[in-house]
Amino acid sequence: MEEHALSFWISMGVMSALVGGAMRKMLATPMSAAPTLAAWLGVAVLVERLCSLGLPAMLALVTLTAVCCLIPGRTPPAPPLPTEGRAVFITGCDSGFGKITAQRLDAMGFEVFASVLDLSGAGARELQRVCSQRLMLIQMDITQSQEIEQALDRIKAKVGLQGLWGLVNNAGVCVNFGDAELSLMSNYRGCMEVNFFGTLNVTKAFLPLVRQAKGRIVTISSPSGEQPFPCLAAYGASKAALNLFINTLRHELEPWGVKVSTILPSAFKTGQSSNIEYWEHQYKHLLQNLSPGLLEEYGEEYVLETKELFQAYAKTTSEDLSPVINTIVDALISPHPKIRYYAGPGVGLMYFICSFFPACVSDRFLQRLFVKKKVLPRALRKQKGSSDDNHNNIDKVDKST
């Protein structure tokens, strides 16, 4: 009995150590830890089976020792790469991630080239005021090929033979809200023009300079490019195209020594997200351009609720942009940058659920996480009302008979 009890407690100790270590690894890196997690749990089951067979306690101890030897220990992180003399080009620095990233990289000693839409705007003036003389502001619209070429010529003249260490593709836009059927074609084209074709054009133009430096390409994408967020079809489709392009580029640039990273942020207060006038304009523009048939089937009250849900959701987003900025910095200075970064609260958990749980669970999670619609389209409400009336009439007939 005593030998059985000892074997049991050794088994429990081994199981606890393995499962606890696996859970810590999973919580720290939700996606990349999946193979390690599966391996650890497999070893835990194997050890439990061995101990249940009544093998001597010594065998259990030997197994535990072997497992500990097989599991790699925590190695100290490699020192970051130097920043002095290295140039980085960041798009979309008028506000949000781009502006704060430009400030951070300038303070770290990088030579920063920051593109803005408006050289006289508040964001550009702030960068001029707080940053060093190294930072250069460049007026550039990523949808205009001529402006991209002009920016390229200016940067090429400055960096010379050293090339461009980092290209940070940050500029992007979300010009739609509403169901996929309700979103205007101009919204789909607008998102694709900026988020995909604009970023594609910039990346292709600056790639020779990045290859010359064996540098880094860091792209700010979105989880909506991989997960079916309700009411974000136009934006999500443009980010999905961008994700595939960047992933393909990552494989193709490996022989050149260029590292490619994608950052997937959660929701933050950036751009127009907290601008009430912006949402009002989008709402009125949608109503004015919807076909009468669609507006009748969905109803103005359905579109109004969508607008209000977007406004309410924007108020709950975080103003602290540091999780995203920190990942951009790591992708630029880490000797071994990650392929994908999950930046911000909840995004790692969301990817874990959407990757490993059934679709019915992950779909419900996304619906509850984002816009929680309660108003049915007008046509469905009429159908439901007719159905309820028919049931009531049938009940009355049954009672009368």
Side-chain angles (χ1 to χ4, degrees):
M1 289 294 291
E2 292 179 358
E3 183 178 349
H4 177 73
L6 179 61
S7 177
F8 170 79
W9 286 113
I10 290 176
S11 172
M12 290 299 295
V14 172
M15 289 282 290
S16 300
L18 289 170
V19 174
M23 291 302 294
R24 284 196 302 273
K25 181 74 173 175
M26 180 184 70
L27 293 174
T29 52
M31 293 298 296
S32 61
T36 307
L37 172 63
W40 284 22
L41 293 179
V43 173
V45 173
L46 175 62
V47 172
E48 191 276 333
R49 288 292 89 199
L50 287 173
C51 292
S52 67
L53 293 175
L55 296 178
M58 184 58 69
L59 178 59
L61 290 173
V62 170
T63 305
L64 175 59
T65 304
V67 169
C68 291
C69 291
L70 290 173
I71 297 174
R74 182 182 296 275
T75 57
L81 300 176
T83 62
E84 186 177 354
R86 286 182 164 164
V88 177
F89 178 44
I90 312 166
T91 63
C93 295
D94 296 87
S95 63
F97 300 140
K99 182 166 72 72
I100 305 300
T101 300
Q103 292 175 320
R104 174 80 72 85
L105 296 184
D106 177 73
M108 293 174 63
F110 280 105
E111 183 179 6
V112 177
F113 301 95
S115 85
V116 294
L117 286 173
D118 185 4
L119 281 173
S120 60
R125 293 198 306 271
E126 183 179 351
L127 286 175
Q128 286 179 321
R129 186 176 67 252
V130 304
C131 292
S132 71
Q133 295 297 315
R134 290 189 310 273
L135 183 134
M136 176 186 288
L137 289 174
I138 297 178
Q139 194 282 322
M140 189 188 78
D141 182 342
I142 68 171
T143 65
Q144 302 299 316
S145 297
Q146 184 178 359
E147 295 184 12
I148 295 173
E149 289 299 323
Q150 291 171 351
L152 177 61
D153 290 340
R154 291 184 64 186
I155 294 174
K156 189 184 297 184
K158 289 284 288 184
V159 300
L161 295 177
Q162 73 174 0
L164 188 67
W165 172 254
L167 170 62
V168 180
N169 288 316
N170 167 71
V173 65
C174 179
V175 295
N176 81 296
F177 73 90
D179 296 34
E181 187 178 14
L182 296 179
S183 296
L184 306 174
M185 285 305 299
S186 59
N187 290 342
Y188 284 98
R189 292 191 178 96
C191 284
M192 288 297 294
E193 191 64 34
V194 177
N195 300 336
F196 178 63
F197 288 113
T199 304
L200 168 65
N201 203 356
V202 170
T203 304
K204 282 174 63 66
F206 283 86
L207 254 180
L209 288 181
V210 178
R211 286 193 287 103
Q212 189 175 327
K214 294 186 177 180
R216 308 285 171 87
I217 296 176
V218 182
T219 302
I220 313 299
S221 186
S222 170
S224 63
E226 299 178 340
Q227 309 299 339
F229 280 91
C231 300
L232 283 181
Y235 179 70
S238 67
K239 290 296 188 177
L242 177 63
N243 289 347
L244 184 58
F245 166 68
I246 294 297
N247 250 332
T248 304
L249 199 64
R250 177 173 59 83
H251 288 286
E252 295 171 349
L253 292 179
E254 186 176 354
W256 294 89
V258 175
K259 305 289 187 182
V260 179
S261 298
T262 301
I263 295 175
L264 300 158
S266 57
F268 292 91
K269 276 189 173 65
T270 59
Q272 300 282 2
S273 62
S274 56
N275 188 338
I276 296 177
E277 293 180 359
Y278 168 79
W279 293 113
E280 290 296 335
H281 172 76
Q282 291 290 317
Y283 168 66
K284 291 177 182 177
H285 180 72
L286 181 60
L287 289 181
Q288 291 169 0
N289 290 276
L290 274 179
S291 68
L294 269 181
L295 186 57
E296 175 60 30
E297 288 193 322
Y298 277 88
E300 186 174 337
E301 61 279 5
Y302 182 85
V303 182
L304 175 63
E305 187 205 33
T306 303
K307 186 258 298 186
E308 292 174 344
L309 287 172
F310 267 74
Q311 285 180 317
Y313 183 77
K315 292 178 182 178
T316 66
T317 56
S318 175
E319 295 182 356
D320 178 17
L321 308 185
S322 60
V324 177
I325 311 305
N326 292 339
T327 59
I328 296 174
V329 171
D330 187 77
L332 289 171
I333 67 173
S334 171
H336 307 289
K338 298 178 182 178
I339 294 171
R340 295 160 66 87
Y341 288 88
Y342 304 97
V347 68
L349 174 63
M350 181 200 71
Y351 267 89
F352 181 77
I353 291 175
C354 291
S355 299
F356 297 107
F357 281 66
C360 59
V361 176
S362 60
D363 287 350
R364 195 69 172 267
F365 179 79
L366 288 179
Q367 290 166 0
R368 296 181 70 86
L369 178 69
F370 194 47
V371 290
K372 307 168 188 174
K373 297 190 71 64
K374 296 180 181 179
V375 176
L376 283 173
R378 184 180 295 166
L380 292 180
R381 293 201 305 272
K382 288 181 180 179
Q383 291 177 13
K384 186 178 179 182
S386 300
S387 176
D388 290 342
D389 290 342
N390 290 337
H391 283 302
N392 291 336
N393 292 334
I394 292 173
D395 289 342
K396 289 178 181 178
V397 171
D398 289 341
K399 291 177 181 177
S400 63
T401 55

